[in-house]
Short mmCIF file of all heavy atoms in Angstrom, two decimals:
data_model
loop_
_atom_site.label_atom_id
_atom_site.label_comp_id
_atom_site.label_asym_id
_atom_site.label_seq_id
_atom_site.Cartn_x
_atom_site.Cartn_y
_atom_site.Cartn_z
N THR A 209 99.23 42.75 -88.33
CA THR A 209 97.85 42.55 -87.86
C THR A 209 97.56 41.07 -87.64
O THR A 209 96.91 40.65 -86.67
CB THR A 209 96.86 43.13 -88.88
OG1 THR A 209 97.14 44.50 -89.07
CG2 THR A 209 95.42 42.97 -88.37
N LEU A 210 98.08 40.22 -88.57
CA LEU A 210 97.88 38.76 -88.47
C LEU A 210 98.56 38.21 -87.22
O LEU A 210 97.98 37.43 -86.46
CB LEU A 210 98.42 38.08 -89.73
CG LEU A 210 98.26 36.55 -89.75
CD1 LEU A 210 96.77 36.17 -89.68
CD2 LEU A 210 98.88 36.00 -91.04
N PHE A 211 99.82 38.63 -86.98
CA PHE A 211 100.55 38.17 -85.78
C PHE A 211 99.85 38.62 -84.50
O PHE A 211 99.78 37.89 -83.51
CB PHE A 211 101.98 38.71 -85.78
CG PHE A 211 102.87 37.93 -86.70
CD1 PHE A 211 103.81 38.59 -87.50
CD2 PHE A 211 102.78 36.54 -86.76
CE1 PHE A 211 104.63 37.88 -88.35
CE2 PHE A 211 103.61 35.83 -87.61
CZ PHE A 211 104.54 36.50 -88.42
N ALA A 212 99.33 39.85 -84.53
CA ALA A 212 98.62 40.35 -83.36
C ALA A 212 97.37 39.54 -83.07
O ALA A 212 97.03 39.25 -81.92
CB ALA A 212 98.26 41.83 -83.58
N SER A 213 96.66 39.17 -84.17
CA SER A 213 95.45 38.35 -84.02
C SER A 213 95.78 36.99 -83.40
O SER A 213 95.12 36.51 -82.49
CB SER A 213 94.77 38.17 -85.38
OG SER A 213 93.67 37.30 -85.24
N TRP A 214 96.86 36.36 -83.91
CA TRP A 214 97.29 35.03 -83.37
C TRP A 214 97.73 35.16 -81.93
O TRP A 214 97.44 34.31 -81.08
CB TRP A 214 98.44 34.48 -84.21
CG TRP A 214 97.97 33.73 -85.44
CD1 TRP A 214 98.00 34.16 -86.72
CD2 TRP A 214 97.37 32.44 -85.46
NE1 TRP A 214 97.48 33.23 -87.57
CE2 TRP A 214 97.07 32.13 -86.79
CE3 TRP A 214 97.03 31.52 -84.48
CZ2 TRP A 214 96.49 30.95 -87.17
CZ3 TRP A 214 96.44 30.32 -84.89
CH2 TRP A 214 96.18 30.04 -86.20
N ALA A 215 98.41 36.21 -81.60
CA ALA A 215 98.87 36.42 -80.22
C ALA A 215 97.70 36.57 -79.26
O ALA A 215 97.70 36.03 -78.15
CB ALA A 215 99.78 37.63 -80.15
N THR A 216 96.66 37.34 -79.72
CA THR A 216 95.48 37.52 -78.89
C THR A 216 94.77 36.19 -78.64
O THR A 216 94.34 35.87 -77.52
CB THR A 216 94.52 38.52 -79.56
OG1 THR A 216 95.20 39.77 -79.74
CG2 THR A 216 93.26 38.74 -78.70
N ARG A 217 94.67 35.37 -79.70
CA ARG A 217 94.00 34.05 -79.57
C ARG A 217 94.77 33.13 -78.63
O ARG A 217 94.21 32.43 -77.80
CB ARG A 217 93.84 33.42 -80.95
CG ARG A 217 92.89 34.18 -81.86
CD ARG A 217 92.75 33.50 -83.21
NE ARG A 217 92.19 32.15 -83.05
CZ ARG A 217 92.01 31.33 -84.08
NH1 ARG A 217 92.38 31.70 -85.31
NH2 ARG A 217 91.49 30.14 -83.87
N LEU A 218 96.09 33.15 -78.75
CA LEU A 218 96.90 32.29 -77.87
C LEU A 218 96.77 32.72 -76.41
O LEU A 218 96.73 31.89 -75.50
CB LEU A 218 98.37 32.36 -78.30
CG LEU A 218 98.72 31.60 -79.58
CD1 LEU A 218 100.18 31.87 -79.97
CD2 LEU A 218 98.50 30.11 -79.40
N GLN A 219 96.71 34.04 -76.19
CA GLN A 219 96.58 34.52 -74.82
C GLN A 219 95.25 34.10 -74.22
O GLN A 219 95.16 33.71 -73.07
CB GLN A 219 96.71 36.06 -74.79
CG GLN A 219 96.72 36.62 -73.37
CD GLN A 219 96.94 38.11 -73.35
OE1 GLN A 219 97.00 38.74 -74.42
NE2 GLN A 219 97.09 38.67 -72.17
N ASN A 220 94.14 34.17 -75.07
CA ASN A 220 92.83 33.73 -74.58
C ASN A 220 92.82 32.25 -74.23
O ASN A 220 92.25 31.82 -73.23
CB ASN A 220 91.75 34.03 -75.63
CG ASN A 220 91.55 35.54 -75.81
OD1 ASN A 220 91.81 36.33 -74.89
ND2 ASN A 220 91.07 35.94 -76.98
N ILE A 221 93.46 31.43 -75.10
CA ILE A 221 93.53 29.98 -74.85
C ILE A 221 94.31 29.70 -73.58
O ILE A 221 93.93 28.86 -72.75
CB ILE A 221 94.17 29.27 -76.05
CG1 ILE A 221 93.24 29.35 -77.26
CG2 ILE A 221 94.47 27.81 -75.71
CD1 ILE A 221 93.87 28.81 -78.54
N ALA A 222 95.41 30.44 -73.38
CA ALA A 222 96.24 30.23 -72.20
C ALA A 222 95.48 30.57 -70.93
O ALA A 222 95.63 29.91 -69.90
CB ALA A 222 97.52 31.06 -72.30
N GLN A 223 94.65 31.64 -71.01
CA GLN A 223 93.90 32.02 -69.82
C GLN A 223 92.79 31.02 -69.51
O GLN A 223 92.48 30.75 -68.36
CB GLN A 223 93.32 33.42 -70.01
CG GLN A 223 94.37 34.53 -70.03
CD GLN A 223 93.79 35.89 -70.33
OE1 GLN A 223 92.62 35.99 -70.72
NE2 GLN A 223 94.59 36.94 -70.18
N GLN A 224 92.18 30.44 -70.57
CA GLN A 224 91.08 29.49 -70.37
C GLN A 224 91.57 28.10 -70.00
O GLN A 224 90.94 27.39 -69.23
CB GLN A 224 90.21 29.42 -71.64
CG GLN A 224 89.49 30.73 -71.95
CD GLN A 224 88.74 30.65 -73.27
OE1 GLN A 224 88.66 29.58 -73.87
NE2 GLN A 224 88.19 31.78 -73.71
N HIS A 225 92.71 27.67 -70.56
CA HIS A 225 93.21 26.31 -70.34
C HIS A 225 94.69 26.37 -69.96
O HIS A 225 95.56 25.94 -70.74
CB HIS A 225 93.02 25.45 -71.60
CG HIS A 225 91.62 25.45 -72.12
ND1 HIS A 225 90.58 24.75 -71.53
CD2 HIS A 225 91.07 26.12 -73.20
CE1 HIS A 225 89.47 24.93 -72.22
NE2 HIS A 225 89.73 25.77 -73.25
N PRO A 226 95.04 26.92 -68.83
CA PRO A 226 96.46 27.09 -68.49
C PRO A 226 97.20 25.76 -68.33
O PRO A 226 98.35 25.62 -68.70
CB PRO A 226 96.40 27.84 -67.17
CG PRO A 226 95.05 27.54 -66.59
CD PRO A 226 94.13 27.40 -67.77
N ARG A 227 96.56 24.70 -67.76
CA ARG A 227 97.24 23.42 -67.53
C ARG A 227 97.57 22.70 -68.85
O ARG A 227 98.63 22.12 -69.01
CB ARG A 227 96.37 22.53 -66.65
CG ARG A 227 96.23 23.05 -65.22
CD ARG A 227 95.46 22.09 -64.36
NE ARG A 227 95.32 22.58 -63.01
CZ ARG A 227 94.68 21.92 -62.03
NH1 ARG A 227 94.13 20.75 -62.31
NH2 ARG A 227 94.59 22.45 -60.82
N ARG A 228 96.64 22.73 -69.77
CA ARG A 228 96.89 22.08 -71.07
C ARG A 228 98.03 22.75 -71.80
O ARG A 228 98.87 22.10 -72.42
CB ARG A 228 95.62 22.11 -71.91
CG ARG A 228 94.50 21.25 -71.34
CD ARG A 228 93.30 21.23 -72.28
NE ARG A 228 92.20 20.47 -71.72
CZ ARG A 228 91.04 20.28 -72.35
NH1 ARG A 228 90.86 20.82 -73.57
NH2 ARG A 228 90.09 19.58 -71.78
N VAL A 229 98.07 24.12 -71.73
CA VAL A 229 99.13 24.85 -72.42
C VAL A 229 100.47 24.53 -71.79
O VAL A 229 101.48 24.31 -72.47
CB VAL A 229 98.84 26.37 -72.38
CG1 VAL A 229 100.04 27.14 -72.93
CG2 VAL A 229 97.60 26.67 -73.18
N LEU A 230 100.52 24.46 -70.46
CA LEU A 230 101.77 24.13 -69.77
C LEU A 230 102.26 22.75 -70.16
O LEU A 230 103.44 22.52 -70.40
CB LEU A 230 101.56 24.20 -68.25
CG LEU A 230 101.50 25.60 -67.64
CD1 LEU A 230 101.13 25.51 -66.17
CD2 LEU A 230 102.83 26.30 -67.82
N ALA A 231 101.34 21.78 -70.20
CA ALA A 231 101.74 20.42 -70.58
C ALA A 231 102.26 20.38 -72.00
O ALA A 231 103.27 19.73 -72.29
CB ALA A 231 100.54 19.47 -70.42
N GLY A 232 101.60 21.07 -72.91
CA GLY A 232 102.06 21.07 -74.29
C GLY A 232 103.42 21.70 -74.44
O GLY A 232 104.27 21.21 -75.16
N VAL A 233 103.65 22.80 -73.73
CA VAL A 233 104.95 23.46 -73.80
C VAL A 233 106.02 22.57 -73.22
O VAL A 233 107.12 22.45 -73.76
CB VAL A 233 104.90 24.82 -73.06
CG1 VAL A 233 106.30 25.42 -72.96
CG2 VAL A 233 103.95 25.78 -73.76
N ALA A 234 105.72 21.88 -72.13
CA ALA A 234 106.71 20.99 -71.50
C ALA A 234 107.11 19.88 -72.44
O ALA A 234 108.29 19.55 -72.58
CB ALA A 234 106.14 20.41 -70.20
N VAL A 235 106.11 19.25 -73.08
CA VAL A 235 106.43 18.18 -74.03
C VAL A 235 107.27 18.69 -75.17
O VAL A 235 108.25 18.08 -75.60
CB VAL A 235 105.14 17.52 -74.54
CG1 VAL A 235 105.44 16.55 -75.66
CG2 VAL A 235 104.42 16.81 -73.39
N SER A 236 106.91 19.86 -75.71
CA SER A 236 107.66 20.42 -76.84
C SER A 236 109.09 20.68 -76.45
O SER A 236 110.03 20.38 -77.20
CB SER A 236 106.99 21.72 -77.31
OG SER A 236 105.67 21.46 -77.72
N LEU A 237 109.31 21.25 -75.26
CA LEU A 237 110.67 21.53 -74.83
C LEU A 237 111.47 20.26 -74.62
O LEU A 237 112.66 20.19 -74.92
CB LEU A 237 110.64 22.36 -73.55
CG LEU A 237 110.18 23.82 -73.69
CD1 LEU A 237 110.06 24.49 -72.34
CD2 LEU A 237 111.15 24.60 -74.60
N SER A 238 110.80 19.23 -74.04
CA SER A 238 111.53 17.98 -73.82
C SER A 238 111.94 17.33 -75.12
O SER A 238 112.99 16.70 -75.22
CB SER A 238 110.67 17.00 -73.00
OG SER A 238 109.52 16.64 -73.75
N LEU A 239 111.10 17.45 -76.16
CA LEU A 239 111.44 16.88 -77.45
C LEU A 239 112.53 17.65 -78.15
O LEU A 239 113.42 17.09 -78.79
CB LEU A 239 110.19 16.80 -78.34
CG LEU A 239 109.09 15.82 -77.85
CD1 LEU A 239 107.88 15.93 -78.76
CD2 LEU A 239 109.63 14.40 -77.86
N LEU A 240 112.49 18.97 -78.05
CA LEU A 240 113.44 19.81 -78.79
C LEU A 240 114.75 19.95 -78.04
O LEU A 240 115.83 19.83 -78.61
CB LEU A 240 112.82 21.19 -79.04
CG LEU A 240 111.58 21.22 -79.96
CD1 LEU A 240 110.99 22.61 -80.01
CD2 LEU A 240 111.98 20.74 -81.36
N GLY A 241 114.68 20.12 -76.74
CA GLY A 241 115.91 20.38 -75.98
C GLY A 241 116.60 19.12 -75.55
O GLY A 241 117.81 19.05 -75.55
#
């Protein structure tokens, strides 16, 4: 139930702020990969 709640919140954030999410993911991948 907790994971489902977090997934729902992340999906809402992604729909409201798609550019910010993309930038954050790009930075994370560049640092890790």
Side-chain angles (χ1 to χ4, degrees):
T209 302
L210 181 61
F211 282 139
S213 176
W214 275 105
T216 301
R217 294 181 61 182
L218 285 174
Q219 186 176 5
N220 293 334
I221 292 173
Q223 291 175 350
Q224 295 175 8
H225 307 285
R227 293 185 180 180
R228 293 184 183 181
V229 172
L230 283 173
V233 172
V235 172
S236 300
L237 289 174
S238 64
L239 294 176
L240 294 174

